[in-house]
Structure formats: C-alpha cells, structure tokens
Coordinates of all heavy atoms in Angstrom, one line a residue:
M12 N 3.3 -13.8 10.7 CA 3.4 -13.9 9.3 C 3.2 -12.5 8.7 O 2.4 -11.8 9.1 CB 2.3 -14.8 8.8 CG 2.4 -15.3 7.4 SD 1.2 -16.6 6.9 CE 0.0 -15.6 6.2
K13 N 4.1 -12.2 7.7 CA 4.0 -10.9 7.1 C 3.3 -11.0 5.7 O 3.4 -12.0 5.0 CB 5.4 -10.4 6.8 CG 6.1 -9.8 8.1 CD 7.4 -9.3 7.7 CE 8.1 -8.7 9.0 NZ 9.5 -8.3 8.7
M14 N 2.4 -10.0 5.5 CA 1.6 -10.0 4.3 C 1.8 -8.7 3.6 O 1.9 -7.7 4.2 CB 0.1 -10.2 4.6 CG -0.3 -11.6 5.0 SD -0.4 -12.8 3.7 CE -1.8 -12.1 2.8
P15 N 1.9 -8.7 2.2 CA 2.0 -7.4 1.5 C 0.7 -6.7 1.5 O -0.4 -7.3 1.7 CB 2.4 -7.8 0.1 CG 1.9 -9.2 -0.1 CD 2.0 -9.8 1.3
R16 N 0.7 -5.3 1.4 CA -0.5 -4.5 1.5 C -1.4 -4.7 0.2 O -2.6 -4.7 0.3 CB -0.2 -3.0 1.6 CG -1.3 -2.2 2.3 CD -0.7 -0.9 2.7 NE 0.1 -1.0 3.9 CZ -0.3 -0.5 5.1 NH1 -1.4 0.2 5.2 NH2 0.4 -0.7 6.2
K17 N -0.7 -4.9 -0.9 CA -1.4 -5.1 -2.2 C -0.9 -6.3 -2.9 O 0.4 -6.4 -2.9 CB -1.3 -3.8 -3.1 CG -2.2 -2.7 -2.6 CD -1.9 -1.5 -3.4 CE -2.8 -0.3 -3.0 NZ -2.5 0.9 -3.7
V18 N -1.8 -7.1 -3.5 CA -1.3 -8.2 -4.3 C -2.1 -8.3 -5.6 O -3.2 -7.8 -5.7 CB -1.5 -9.6 -3.5 CG1 -0.4 -9.8 -2.5 CG2 -2.9 -9.7 -2.9
N19 N -1.5 -8.9 -6.6 CA -2.2 -9.2 -7.8 C -2.8 -10.5 -7.8 O -2.2 -11.6 -7.7 CB -1.2 -9.1 -9.0 CG -0.9 -7.6 -9.4 OD1 -1.8 -6.8 -9.5 ND2 0.4 -7.3 -9.6
R20 N -4.2 -10.5 -7.8 CA -4.9 -11.8 -7.8 C -6.0 -11.7 -8.9 O -6.4 -10.7 -9.4 CB -5.6 -11.9 -6.4 CG -4.7 -12.2 -5.3 CD -5.5 -12.3 -4.0 NE -5.9 -13.6 -3.8 CZ -7.2 -14.0 -3.7 NH1 -8.1 -13.2 -3.9 NH2 -7.5 -15.3 -3.4
F21 N -6.6 -12.9 -9.1 CA -7.7 -13.0 -10.0 C -9.0 -12.4 -9.4 O -9.4 -12.8 -8.3 CB -7.9 -14.4 -10.5 CG -9.0 -14.6 -11.5 CD1 -8.9 -14.3 -12.8 CD2 -10.3 -15.0 -11.1 CE1 -9.9 -14.4 -13.7 CE2 -11.3 -15.2 -12.0 CZ -11.1 -14.9 -13.3
C22 N -9.7 -11.5 -10.1 CA -11.0 -11.0 -9.6 C -12.1 -11.7 -10.4 O -12.2 -11.6 -11.6 CB -11.1 -9.5 -9.8 SG -12.7 -8.8 -9.3
P23 N -13.1 -12.4 -9.7 CA -14.1 -13.1 -10.4 C -15.1 -12.1 -11.0 O -15.9 -12.5 -11.9 CB -14.8 -13.9 -9.3 CG -14.4 -13.3 -8.0 CD -13.1 -12.6 -8.2
Y24 N -15.2 -10.8 -10.6 CA -16.1 -9.9 -11.2 C -15.5 -9.2 -12.5 O -16.2 -9.0 -13.5 CB -16.5 -8.8 -10.2 CG -17.1 -9.4 -8.9 CD1 -16.4 -9.6 -7.8 CD2 -18.5 -9.7 -8.9 CE1 -17.0 -10.2 -6.7 CE2 -19.1 -10.2 -7.8 CZ -18.3 -10.5 -6.7 OH -18.9 -11.0 -5.6
C25 N -14.2 -8.9 -12.4 CA -13.6 -8.3 -13.6 C -13.1 -9.4 -14.6 O -12.8 -9.1 -15.7 CB -12.4 -7.4 -13.2 SG -12.7 -6.2 -12.0
K26 N -13.0 -10.6 -14.1 CA -12.6 -11.8 -14.8 C -11.2 -11.6 -15.4 O -10.8 -12.0 -16.5 CB -13.6 -12.1 -16.0 CG -14.9 -12.7 -15.4 CD -15.8 -13.0 -16.5 CE -17.1 -13.5 -15.9 NZ -18.2 -13.6 -16.9
K27 N -10.3 -11.0 -14.6 CA -8.9 -10.9 -14.9 C -8.1 -10.6 -13.7 O -8.7 -10.3 -12.6 CB -8.7 -9.8 -16.0 CG -9.1 -8.4 -15.5 CD -8.9 -7.3 -16.6 CE -9.3 -6.0 -16.1 NZ -9.2 -4.9 -17.1
R28 N -6.8 -10.6 -13.8 CA -5.9 -10.3 -12.7 C -5.9 -8.8 -12.4 O -5.6 -8.0 -13.3 CB -4.5 -10.9 -12.9 CG -4.4 -12.3 -12.7 CD -3.1 -12.8 -13.2 NE -2.0 -12.4 -12.3 CZ -1.6 -13.1 -11.2 NH1 -2.1 -14.2 -10.9 NH2 -0.6 -12.6 -10.5
T29 N -6.2 -8.4 -11.1 CA -6.2 -7.0 -10.8 C -5.4 -6.8 -9.5 O -5.2 -7.8 -8.7 CB -7.6 -6.4 -10.6 OG1 -8.3 -7.3 -9.7 CG2 -8.4 -6.4 -11.9
E30 N -5.1 -5.6 -9.2 CA -4.5 -5.3 -7.9 C -5.5 -5.3 -6.8 O -6.6 -4.6 -6.9 CB -3.8 -3.9 -8.0 CG -2.7 -3.7 -6.9 CD -2.0 -2.4 -7.1 OE1 -2.6 -1.4 -7.0 OE2 -0.7 -2.5 -7.3
Q31 N -5.2 -6.0 -5.7 CA -6.3 -6.1 -4.6 C -5.7 -5.8 -3.3 O -4.5 -6.1 -3.0 CB -6.9 -7.5 -4.6 CG -7.6 -7.8 -5.9 CD -8.3 -9.1 -5.9 OE1 -8.6 -9.7 -4.8 NE2 -8.7 -9.6 -7.1
K32 N -6.5 -5.1 -2.5 CA -6.0 -4.7 -1.1 C -6.2 -5.9 -0.2 O -7.1 -6.7 -0.3 CB -6.9 -3.6 -0.6 CG -6.5 -2.2 -1.1 CD -7.4 -1.2 -0.4 CE -7.3 0.1 -1.1 NZ -8.4 1.0 -0.6
V33 N -5.2 -6.0 0.7 CA -5.2 -7.1 1.7 C -5.7 -6.6 3.0 O -5.1 -5.5 3.5 CB -3.9 -7.8 1.8 CG1 -3.9 -8.9 2.8 CG2 -3.4 -8.3 0.4
K34 N -6.6 -7.2 3.6 CA -7.1 -6.8 5.0 C -7.4 -8.0 5.8 O -8.0 -9.0 5.3 CB -8.3 -5.9 4.8 CG -8.5 -4.9 5.9 CD -9.8 -4.1 5.7 CE -10.2 -3.3 6.9 NZ -11.5 -2.8 6.7
E35 N -7.1 -7.9 7.1 CA -7.5 -8.9 8.0 C -8.9 -8.7 8.5 O -9.2 -7.6 8.9 CB -6.5 -8.9 9.2 CG -6.6 -10.2 10.0 CD -5.8 -10.1 11.3 OE1 -4.9 -9.2 11.4 OE2 -6.0 -11.0 12.2
Q36 N -9.7 -9.7 8.5 CA -11.1 -9.6 8.9 C -11.2 -9.5 10.4 O -10.5 -10.2 11.1 CB -11.9 -10.8 8.4 CG -13.4 -10.5 8.4 CD -14.2 -11.8 8.2 OE1 -13.8 -12.9 8.6 NE2 -15.2 -11.6 7.4
S37 N -12.0 -8.5 10.8 CA -12.2 -8.4 12.3 C -13.3 -9.3 12.7 O -14.3 -9.5 12.0 CB -12.6 -6.9 12.6 OG -13.8 -6.6 12.0
H38 N -13.1 -9.9 13.9 CA -14.1 -10.9 14.3 C -15.2 -10.3 15.2 O -16.1 -11.0 15.5 CB -13.3 -12.0 15.1 CG -12.3 -12.7 14.3 ND1 -12.6 -13.6 13.3 CD2 -10.9 -12.6 14.2 CE1 -11.5 -14.0 12.7 NE2 -10.5 -13.4 13.2
G39 N -15.0 -9.1 15.7 CA -15.9 -8.5 16.6 C -15.8 -9.1 18.0 O -14.9 -9.9 18.3
K40 N -16.7 -8.7 18.8 CA -16.6 -9.2 20.2 C -17.5 -10.4 20.4 O -18.7 -10.4 19.9 CB -17.0 -8.0 21.2 CG -15.9 -7.1 21.4 CD -16.4 -6.0 22.4 CE -15.3 -5.0 22.6 NZ -15.7 -3.9 23.5
P41 N -17.1 -11.4 21.1 CA -18.0 -12.5 21.4 C -19.1 -12.2 22.4 O -18.9 -11.4 23.3 CB -17.0 -13.6 22.0 CG -15.9 -12.8 22.6 CD -15.8 -11.6 21.8
S42 N -20.2 -12.7 22.1 CA -21.4 -12.5 23.0 C -21.2 -13.1 24.3 O -20.8 -14.3 24.4 CB -22.6 -13.0 22.3 OG -23.7 -12.9 23.2
T43 N -21.5 -12.4 25.4 CA -21.3 -13.0 26.7 C -22.6 -13.7 27.2 O -22.5 -14.5 28.1 CB -21.0 -11.9 27.8 OG1 -21.9 -10.8 27.6 CG2 -19.6 -11.3 27.6
L44 N -23.7 -13.5 26.5 CA -24.9 -14.1 26.9 C -25.4 -15.2 26.0 O -26.5 -15.5 25.8 CB -26.1 -13.0 26.9 CG -26.1 -12.1 28.2 CD1 -27.1 -11.1 28.1 CD2 -26.2 -12.9 29.4
K45 N -24.4 -16.0 25.5 CA -24.7 -17.1 24.6 C -25.1 -18.3 25.5 O -24.8 -18.4 26.7 CB -23.6 -17.4 23.7 CG -22.3 -17.8 24.3 CD -21.3 -17.9 23.2 CE -19.9 -18.1 23.8 NZ -18.9 -18.2 22.8
R46 N -25.7 -19.3 24.8 CA -26.2 -20.5 25.5 C -25.1 -21.2 26.2 O -24.0 -21.4 25.7 CB -26.8 -21.4 24.4 CG -28.2 -21.2 24.1 CD -29.0 -22.0 25.2 NE -30.5 -21.9 24.9 CZ -31.1 -22.9 24.3 NH1 -30.5 -23.9 23.7 NH2 -32.4 -22.8 24.2
G47 N -25.4 -21.6 27.5 CA -24.4 -22.3 28.2 C -23.3 -21.5 28.9 O -22.4 -22.0 29.5
S48 N -23.4 -20.2 28.8 CA -22.4 -19.3 29.4 C -22.7 -19.1 30.9 O -23.9 -19.3 31.4 CB -22.4 -18.0 28.7 OG -23.5 -17.2 29.0
K49 N -21.7 -18.8 31.7 CA -21.8 -18.7 33.1 C -22.7 -17.4 33.4 O -23.4 -17.4 34.4 CB -20.5 -18.5 33.8 CG -19.8 -19.9 33.8 CD -18.4 -19.8 34.5 CE -17.7 -21.1 34.4 NZ -16.3 -21.0 35.0
Q50 N -22.5 -16.4 32.6 CA -23.3 -15.2 32.9 C -24.7 -15.4 32.7 O -25.6 -14.8 33.4 CB -22.8 -14.0 31.9 CG -21.4 -13.5 32.3 CD -21.2 -12.1 31.8 OE1 -22.0 -11.6 31.0 NE2 -20.1 -11.5 32.2
R51 N -25.1 -16.2 31.7 CA -26.5 -16.5 31.5 C -27.1 -17.3 32.6 O -28.2 -17.1 33.0 CB -26.6 -17.3 30.2 CG -28.0 -17.2 29.5 CD -27.9 -17.9 28.2 NE -29.0 -18.9 28.1 CZ -30.0 -18.8 27.3 NH1 -30.1 -17.8 26.5 NH2 -30.9 -19.7 27.2
A52 N -26.3 -18.2 33.1 CA -26.8 -19.0 34.3 C -26.9 -18.2 35.5 O -27.9 -18.4 36.3 CB -25.7 -20.1 34.5
M53 N -26.1 -17.2 35.6 CA -26.2 -16.2 36.8 C -27.5 -15.5 36.7 O -28.2 -15.3 37.7 CB -25.0 -15.2 36.8 CG -23.7 -15.8 37.4 SD -23.8 -15.7 39.1 CE -23.2 -14.1 39.4
L54 N -27.9 -15.1 35.5 CA -29.1 -14.3 35.4 C -30.4 -15.2 35.7 O -31.4 -14.7 36.1 CB -29.2 -13.7 34.0 CG -28.3 -12.6 33.7 CD1 -28.4 -12.2 32.2 CD2 -28.6 -11.4 34.5
R55 N -30.2 -16.5 35.5 CA -31.3 -17.4 35.7 C -31.4 -17.8 37.2 O -32.3 -18.5 37.6 CB -31.2 -18.6 34.9 CG -31.6 -18.4 33.5 CD -31.8 -19.7 32.7 NE -30.5 -20.4 32.5 CZ -30.3 -21.7 32.6 NH1 -31.3 -22.5 32.9 NH2 -29.1 -22.2 32.4
G56 N -30.4 -17.3 38.0 CA -30.4 -17.5 39.4 C -29.7 -18.8 39.8 O -29.7 -19.2 41.0
L57 N -28.9 -19.3 38.9 CA -28.0 -20.5 39.2 C -26.7 -20.0 39.7 O -26.4 -18.8 39.7 CB -27.9 -21.4 38.0 CG -29.2 -21.9 37.3 CD1 -28.9 -22.6 36.1 CD2 -30.0 -22.8 38.3
N58 N -25.8 -20.9 40.1 CA -24.5 -20.6 40.5 C -24.5 -19.6 41.7 O -23.8 -18.6 41.6 CB -23.7 -20.0 39.3 CG -22.2 -19.9 39.6 OD1 -21.7 -20.5 40.5 ND2 -21.5 -19.0 38.9
R59 N -25.3 -19.8 42.6 CA -25.4 -19.0 43.8 C -25.4 -19.9 45.1 O -25.7 -21.1 45.0 CB -26.7 -18.1 43.8 CG -26.5 -16.9 43.0 CD -27.9 -16.3 42.7 NE -27.9 -15.4 41.5 CZ -27.6 -14.1 41.6 NH1 -27.3 -13.6 42.8 NH2 -27.6 -13.4 40.6
G60 N -25.0 -19.3 46.2 CA -25.0 -20.0 47.4 C -23.8 -20.7 47.7 O -22.7 -20.5 47.0
I61 N -23.8 -21.7 48.6 CA -22.6 -22.4 49.1 C -22.6 -23.8 48.5 O -23.7 -24.3 48.1 CB -22.4 -22.3 50.6 CG1 -23.7 -22.8 51.3 CG2 -22.0 -21.0 51.1 CD1 -23.5 -23.2 52.7
G62 N -21.5 -24.4 48.6 CA -21.3 -25.8 48.2 C -20.8 -26.0 46.8 O -20.6 -25.0 46.1
N63 N -20.6 -27.2 46.3 CA -20.0 -27.5 45.0 C -21.1 -27.3 43.9 O -22.2 -27.8 44.0 CB -19.5 -28.9 45.0 CG -18.8 -29.2 43.7 OD1 -18.4 -28.3 43.0 ND2 -18.5 -30.4 43.4
K64 N -20.8 -26.4 43.0 CA -21.7 -26.1 41.9 C -21.3 -26.7 40.6 O -21.6 -26.2 39.5 CB -21.9 -24.6 41.7 CG -22.5 -23.9 42.9 CD -24.0 -24.1 43.0 CE -24.6 -23.5 44.2 NZ -24.1 -24.0 45.5
G65 N -20.6 -27.8 40.7 CA -20.3 -28.6 39.4 C -19.4 -27.7 38.5 O -18.3 -27.3 39.0
R66 N -19.8 -27.5 37.3 CA -18.9 -26.9 36.3 C -18.7 -25.4 36.6 O -17.8 -24.7 36.1 CB -19.4 -27.1 34.9 CG -20.6 -26.3 34.6 CD -21.1 -26.7 33.2 NE -22.2 -25.9 32.8 CZ -22.1 -24.8 32.1 NH1 -21.0 -24.3 31.7 NH2 -23.2 -24.2 31.7
F67 N -19.6 -24.8 37.5 CA -19.4 -23.4 37.8 C -18.4 -23.2 38.9 O -18.0 -22.1 39.2 CB -20.8 -22.8 38.3 CG -21.8 -22.9 37.3 CD1 -22.9 -23.7 37.4 CD2 -21.7 -22.2 36.1 CE1 -23.9 -23.8 36.4 CE2 -22.7 -22.3 35.1 CZ -23.8 -23.1 35.3
S68 N -18.0 -24.3 39.6 CA -17.1 -24.2 40.7 C -15.6 -24.4 40.2 O -14.7 -24.5 41.1 CB -17.4 -25.3 41.7 OG -18.6 -25.1 42.3
R69 N -15.4 -24.4 39.0 CA -14.0 -24.6 38.5 C -13.1 -23.4 38.9 O -13.6 -22.3 39.0 CB -14.0 -24.7 36.9 CG -13.8 -26.1 36.4 CD -13.7 -26.1 35.0 NE -14.6 -27.0 34.4 CZ -15.1 -27.0 33.2 NH1 -14.8 -25.9 32.4 NH2 -15.9 -27.9 32.7
M70 N -11.9 -23.8 39.0 CA -10.9 -22.7 39.3 C -10.8 -21.7 38.1 O -10.9 -22.1 37.0 CB -9.5 -23.3 39.6 CG -9.4 -23.9 41.0 SD -8.0 -25.0 41.0 CE -6.7 -24.0 40.7
K71 N -10.6 -20.5 38.5 CA -10.5 -19.4 37.4 C -9.4 -19.7 36.4 O -9.6 -19.5 35.2 CB -10.3 -18.1 38.1 CG -11.6 -17.3 38.1 CD -11.4 -15.9 38.6 CE -12.7 -15.1 38.8 NZ -12.5 -13.8 39.4
N72 N -8.2 -20.0 37.0 CA -7.0 -20.2 36.1 C -7.2 -21.3 35.1 O -6.8 -21.3 34.0 CB -5.8 -20.4 36.9 CG -5.3 -19.1 37.5 OD1 -5.6 -18.1 37.0 ND2 -4.5 -19.2 38.5
Q73 N -7.9 -22.4 35.6 CA -8.1 -23.6 34.7 C -9.0 -23.2 33.5 O -8.7 -23.7 32.4 CB -8.8 -24.6 35.6 CG -8.4 -26.0 35.2 CD -9.0 -27.0 36.2 OE1 -9.6 -26.6 37.2 NE2 -8.8 -28.3 36.0
A74 N -10.0 -22.4 33.7 CA -10.8 -22.1 32.5 C -10.2 -21.1 31.6 O -10.4 -21.1 30.4 CB -12.1 -21.5 33.1
K75 N -9.3 -20.2 32.2 CA -8.7 -19.1 31.4 C -7.5 -19.6 30.6 O -7.0 -19.0 29.7 CB -8.3 -18.0 32.2 CG -9.5 -17.0 32.5 CD -9.0 -15.8 33.1 CE -10.1 -14.8 33.3 NZ -9.6 -13.6 34.1
Q76 N -7.0 -20.8 31.0 CA -5.7 -21.2 30.4 C -5.9 -21.4 28.9 O -6.8 -22.0 28.4 CB -5.4 -22.6 31.0 CG -3.9 -22.9 30.8 CD -3.6 -24.3 31.5 OE1 -4.4 -25.2 31.4 NE2 -2.5 -24.3 32.1
K77 N -4.9 -20.8 28.2 CA -4.9 -20.9 26.7 C -4.4 -22.2 26.2 O -3.3 -22.6 26.6 CB -4.1 -19.7 26.1 CG -4.9 -18.9 25.2 CD -4.1 -17.8 24.6 CE -4.9 -17.0 23.6 NZ -4.1 -16.0 23.0
R78 N -5.1 -23.0 25.4 CA -4.6 -24.2 25.0 C -4.0 -24.1 23.6 O -3.0 -24.7 23.3 CB -5.8 -25.2 25.0 CG -6.2 -25.6 26.4 CD -7.4 -26.5 26.4 NE -7.7 -26.8 27.8 CZ -8.7 -26.1 28.4 NH1 -9.3 -25.1 27.8 NH2 -8.9 -26.3 29.7
K79 N -4.7 -23.4 22.7 CA -4.1 -23.2 21.4 C -3.4 -21.8 21.2 O -4.0 -20.8 21.7 CB -5.2 -23.4 20.3 CG -5.7 -24.8 20.2 CD -6.8 -24.9 19.3 CE -7.2 -26.4 19.2 NZ -8.4 -26.6 18.4
T80 N -2.3 -21.8 20.6 CA -1.5 -20.6 20.5 C -1.7 -19.9 19.1 O -1.3 -18.8 19.0 CB -0.1 -20.8 20.8 OG1 0.4 -21.8 20.0 CG2 0.1 -21.1 22.3
T81 N -2.1 -20.7 18.2 CA -2.3 -20.2 16.8 C -3.7 -20.3 16.3 O -4.5 -21.1 16.8 CB -1.4 -20.9 15.8 OG1 -1.7 -22.3 15.8 CG2 0.1 -20.7 16.1
K82 N -4.1 -19.4 15.3 CA -5.4 -19.5 14.7 C -5.3 -19.3 13.2 O -4.3 -18.6 12.8 CB -6.2 -18.3 15.3 CG -7.1 -18.7 16.5 CD -8.0 -17.5 16.9 CE -8.9 -17.9 18.0 NZ -9.7 -16.8 18.4
K83 N -6.2 -19.8 12.5 CA -6.3 -19.5 11.1 C -6.9 -18.1 10.9 O -8.0 -17.8 11.4 CB -7.1 -20.5 10.3 CG -6.3 -21.7 10.0 CD -7.1 -22.7 9.1 CE -6.3 -23.9 8.8 NZ -7.1 -24.9 8.1
T84 N -6.2 -17.2 10.2 CA -6.6 -15.8 10.1 C -7.4 -15.7 8.7 O -6.9 -16.1 7.7 CB -5.5 -14.9 10.1 OG1 -4.4 -15.4 9.2 CG2 -5.0 -14.7 11.5
A85 N -8.6 -15.1 8.8 CA -9.4 -14.8 7.6 C -8.9 -13.5 7.0 O -8.8 -12.5 7.6 CB -10.8 -14.7 8.0
I86 N -8.5 -13.6 5.7 CA -8.0 -12.5 4.9 C -9.0 -12.0 3.9 O -9.6 -12.9 3.1 CB -6.6 -12.8 4.3 CG1 -5.6 -13.1 5.4 CG2 -6.1 -11.7 3.4 CD1 -4.5 -14.0 4.9
V87 N -9.3 -10.7 3.8 CA -10.3 -10.2 2.9 C -9.5 -9.5 1.8 O -8.7 -8.6 2.0 CB -11.3 -9.2 3.6 CG1 -12.3 -8.7 2.6 CG2 -11.9 -9.9 4.7
Y88 N -9.8 -9.8 0.5 CA -9.2 -9.2 -0.6 C -10.2 -8.3 -1.3 O -11.3 -8.8 -1.7 CB -8.7 -10.2 -1.6 CG -7.6 -11.1 -1.1 CD1 -7.8 -12.3 -0.6 CD2 -6.2 -10.6 -1.1 CE1 -6.8 -13.1 -0.1 CE2 -5.2 -11.4 -0.6 CZ -5.5 -12.7 -0.2 OH -4.5 -13.5 0.3
T89 N -9.9 -7.0 -1.5 CA -10.8 -6.1 -2.1 C -10.2 -5.6 -3.4 O -9.1 -5.1 -3.4 CB -11.1 -4.9 -1.2 OG1 -11.4 -5.4 0.1 CG2 -12.3 -4.1 -1.7
C90 N -10.9 -5.7 -4.5 CA -10.4 -5.3 -5.9 C -10.4 -3.8 -6.0 O -11.3 -3.1 -5.5 CB -11.4 -5.9 -6.9 SG -10.9 -5.5 -8.6
S91 N -9.3 -3.3 -6.5 CA -9.1 -1.8 -6.6 C -9.8 -1.3 -7.9 O -10.0 -0.1 -8.0 CB -7.7 -1.5 -6.6 OG -7.0 -2.1 -7.7
V92 N -10.2 -2.2 -8.8 CA -10.8 -1.8 -10.1 C -12.3 -1.6 -9.9 O -12.9 -0.6 -10.1 CB -10.5 -2.7 -11.2 CG1 -11.2 -2.3 -12.5 CG2 -9.0 -2.8 -11.4
C93 N -13.0 -2.7 -9.5 CA -14.4 -2.7 -9.3 C -14.8 -2.3 -7.8 O -15.9 -1.8 -7.6 CB -15.1 -4.0 -9.7 SG -14.5 -5.4 -8.8
G94 N -13.9 -2.6 -6.9 CA -14.2 -2.2 -5.5 C -15.0 -3.2 -4.7 O -15.0 -3.2 -3.5
K95 N -15.8 -4.0 -5.4 CA -16.8 -4.8 -4.7 C -16.2 -6.2 -4.4 O -16.7 -6.9 -3.6 CB -18.1 -4.9 -5.4 CG -18.0 -5.5 -6.8 CD -19.3 -5.6 -7.4 CE -19.2 -6.2 -8.9 NZ -20.4 -6.3 -9.5
G96 N -15.3 -6.6 -5.2 CA -14.8 -8.0 -5.2 C -14.2 -8.3 -3.8 O -13.0 -8.1 -3.6
K97 N -15.0 -8.8 -2.9 CA -14.5 -9.1 -1.6 C -14.4 -10.7 -1.5 O -15.4 -11.4 -1.5 CB -15.4 -8.6 -0.5 CG -15.1 -7.2 -0.2 CD -15.8 -6.7 1.0 CE -15.5 -5.3 1.3 NZ -16.3 -4.8 2.4
D98 N -13.1 -11.1 -1.5 CA -12.9 -12.5 -1.5 C -12.2 -12.9 -0.2 O -11.2 -12.3 0.2 CB -12.0 -12.9 -2.7 CG -11.9 -14.4 -2.9 OD1 -12.7 -15.1 -2.3 OD2 -11.0 -14.8 -3.6
Q99 N -12.8 -13.8 0.5 CA -12.2 -14.2 1.8 C -11.5 -15.6 1.6 O -11.9 -16.4 0.9 CB -13.3 -14.4 2.8 CG -13.9 -13.1 3.3 CD -14.9 -13.4 4.4 OE1 -14.9 -14.4 5.0 NE2 -15.8 -12.5 4.5
K100 N -10.4 -15.7 2.3 CA -9.7 -16.9 2.3 C -9.1 -17.1 3.6 O -8.5 -16.2 4.2 CB -8.6 -16.8 1.2 CG -8.4 -18.2 0.6 CD -7.5 -18.1 -0.7 CE -7.5 -19.4 -1.4 NZ -6.6 -19.4 -2.5
K101 N -9.1 -18.4 4.1 CA -8.5 -18.7 5.3 C -7.0 -18.9 5.1 O -6.6 -19.6 4.2 CB -9.1 -20.0 5.9 CG -10.5 -19.8 6.5 CD -10.4 -19.8 8.0 CE -11.7 -19.3 8.6 NZ -12.2 -20.3 9.5
G102 N -6.2 -18.2 5.9 CA -4.8 -18.3 5.8 C -4.2 -19.4 6.5 O -4.9 -20.3 7.0
K103 N -2.9 -19.4 6.6 CA -2.2 -20.5 7.4 C -2.3 -20.2 8.8 O -2.6 -19.1 9.2 CB -0.7 -20.5 6.9 CG -0.5 -21.1 5.6 CD 1.0 -21.1 5.3 CE 1.2 -21.7 3.9 NZ 2.6 -21.5 3.5
R104 N -2.0 -21.2 9.6 CA -2.1 -21.0 11.1 C -0.9 -20.2 11.6 O 0.3 -20.5 11.4 CB -2.0 -22.4 11.8 CG -3.1 -23.3 11.5 CD -3.2 -24.4 12.5 NE -3.8 -23.9 13.7 CZ -5.0 -24.1 14.1 NH1 -5.8 -24.8 13.4 NH2 -5.5 -23.6 15.2
T105 N -1.2 -19.0 12.1 CA -0.2 -18.2 12.7 C -0.7 -17.5 14.0 O -1.9 -17.4 14.2 CB 0.2 -17.0 11.7 OG1 -1.0 -16.4 11.3 CG2 1.0 -17.5 10.6
S106 N 0.2 -17.1 14.8 CA -0.2 -16.5 16.1 C -0.5 -15.0 15.8 O -1.3 -14.4 16.5 CB 0.9 -16.6 17.1 OG 2.1 -16.1 16.7
K107 N 0.2 -14.4 14.8 CA 0.1 -13.0 14.6 C 0.2 -12.7 13.1 O 1.1 -13.4 12.4 CB 1.1 -12.3 15.4 CG 0.8 -10.8 15.6 CD 1.9 -10.2 16.5 CE 1.6 -8.7 16.7 NZ 2.7 -8.1 17.5
I108 N -0.5 -11.8 12.5 CA -0.4 -11.4 11.1 C -0.1 -9.9 11.0 O -0.8 -9.1 11.7 CB -1.6 -11.9 10.3 CG1 -1.3 -11.7 8.8 CG2 -2.9 -11.2 10.7 CD1 -2.3 -12.5 8.0
T109 N 0.9 -9.6 10.2 CA 1.2 -8.1 10.1 C 1.1 -7.8 8.6 O 1.8 -8.5 7.8 CB 2.6 -7.8 10.6 OG1 3.5 -8.8 10.1 CG2 2.6 -7.7 12.1
I110 N 0.3 -6.8 8.3 CA 0.1 -6.4 6.9 C 1.0 -5.1 6.7 O 0.8 -4.1 7.4 CB -1.4 -6.1 6.5 CG1 -2.1 -7.5 6.6 CG2 -1.5 -5.5 5.2 CD1 -3.6 -7.3 6.7
E111 N 1.9 -5.2 5.8 CA 2.8 -4.0 5.6 C 2.8 -3.5 4.2 O 2.3 -4.2 3.3 CB 4.3 -4.4 5.9 CG 4.7 -5.7 5.2 CD 6.1 -6.1 5.6 OE1 6.6 -5.8 6.8 OE2 6.8 -6.7 4.8
Ligands
ZN213 ZN1 -12.7 -6.5 -9.8

C-alpha cells in the first residue's frame, strides 16, 4: 500500500485541518525472555536430555511457518504546526507499506 508523505488532517490540538507528516510506527524487537518462551525454559534447565519433550520437541519448520501474510500497520501522524499532535491509527491490512 502506498501512502503520501504529507496529508491534510484534523489536528485535535490546533482544532483545525493542518498538514501532517505520515510515519509508520516501529514495533521494536520482541523480547526473547517472555513467559512461556523456549529460551526461558532453557534457562530454567528444562528442554534438556533425551526423549520426547512435548512442545519443545516440535520440528523447527513447523514453528517457523508463517500463517498470516498481512498485518495491520500502525500509522503515526505528526502535526507540522504544533509538532506534538501525534495521532495513531490502525491502517488496512497490508503486507507492505511504502511512504513516498
Ligand atoms: Zn496541531
């Protein structure tokens, strides 16, 4: 999906339509040590030794397989007049977003 770099939208701080910058929100990196993760179980001393380890014994490809190909992208609008007006909105489901 293509998005323009600047759009005219309503700013709730200026209370009028202003030119606003369009930016895709960065999600950051997911934590590897969250509850129920395999790495956390490894640190606790689980998932070691021989034999069937239940959900830890799953095939690598099975867990990595991508099921969903699209995501809703969060778009951040910043007002060019006051600068603080950061309005987030969930966009349509797309696999890729390009801001031009
Ligand atoms: Zn504003």
